[in-house]
Amino acid sequence: GIWKNISVSDVDGSDLTPIYTSSVTGNRTLFATWSPSGSSVSFVEMPGLVANGWFGGSVWGNYAIKAVDVSVSSGVVFSSNTRTIYSVTTADQKKILSQAWSPATSGSGAGKIAFLVVTSTQSSIYLIPATGGTPTLIYSVYNTDNRIGGNSITWSSDASKIAFVQGSGTTVADSNMVCSIKIIDLSGSV
């Protein structure tokens, strides 16, 4: 199915090689980012697209941030150690809509993944160690008048800040929605 694989290729797009394939029919794998060492890839695995999209749709739970190690030997790509870093179930009533691995190898952002969680009432950005553990909430808005863009999380090159798109308006389809780029430090201060 579409978006079921995470793949790597040569710079010119040749030698496309799957490194992860979802085993759940209909699931999608999106928002892949490399670890700073270039030895692992993290991504979000989520249920298939539903009416009104992932943000506005009614499918809650069964979203996960996963990672897989990648190596090349004699020109052949190998993947191993697929693991779940964080997941939510249907009972959690949450969606994980984006993630990005910090580019830093030292400092406060090193070894962390930033990710977006949406509930029926809030859009929130969390940090979690790339090895898993308990997420830390760093920024949140209520969905009644604001939303965080689902694929917009990115780190500054020194991993001291996170940028994302935040829309202000009543719905995603609101023609009066105004979008702005927000930049926060790792404590959530704008």
Side-chain angles (χ1 to χ4, degrees):
I2 189 167
W3 299 332
K4 188 173 180 150
N5 299 323
I6 296 292
S7 299
V8 295
S9 71
D10 292 339
V11 166
D12 65 3
S14 64
D15 294 326
L16 185 66
T17 304
I19 57 170
Y20 177 82
T21 300
S22 175
S23 62
V24 179
T25 301
N27 268 15
R28 295 170 183 238
T29 53
L30 299 164
F31 313 116
T33 58
W34 284 100
S35 66
S37 67
S39 62
S40 298
V41 173
S42 62
F43 55 93
V44 175
E45 183 171 355
M46 62 178 66
L49 186 61
V50 296
N52 298 321
W54 291 294
F55 199 99
S58 60
V59 175
W60 299 98
N62 302 321
Y63 290 71
I65 299 170
K66 294 188 174 185
V68 59
D69 295 339
V70 181
S71 60
V72 178
S73 178
S74 301
V76 178
V77 175
F78 296 93
S79 60
S80 63
N81 192 27
T82 300
R83 59 213 176 268
T84 299
I85 295 168
Y86 179 74
S87 64
V88 295
T89 66
T90 304
D92 296 319
Q93 291 292 290
K94 296 178 180 180
K95 302 174 187 180
I96 302 171
L97 296 186
S98 185
Q99 67 85 42
W101 203 318
S102 166
T105 56
S106 64
S108 60
K112 295 205 168 69
I113 292 175
F115 65 100
L116 171 62
V117 170
V118 174
T119 69
S120 62
T121 59
Q122 291 182 295
S123 299
S124 304
I125 295 176
Y126 289 84
L127 293 178
I128 192 167
T131 54
T134 303
T136 301
L137 174 66
I138 62 168
Y139 186 83
S140 189
V141 293
Y142 287 99
N143 292 339
T144 52
D145 56 359
N146 291 283
R147 292 184 188 256
I148 297 172
N151 60 352
S152 66
I153 295 175
T154 190
W155 289 82
S156 61
S157 60
D158 67 355
S160 66
K161 294 182 173 41
I162 296 171
F164 55 92
V165 174
Q166 181 174 310
S168 298
T170 55
T171 67
V172 173
D174 185 349
S175 61
N176 296 317
M177 182 172 270
V178 176
C179 292
S180 59
I181 296 173
K182 298 282 186 180
I183 299 172
I184 60 173
D185 63 23
L186 301 189
S187 69
S189 297
V190 178

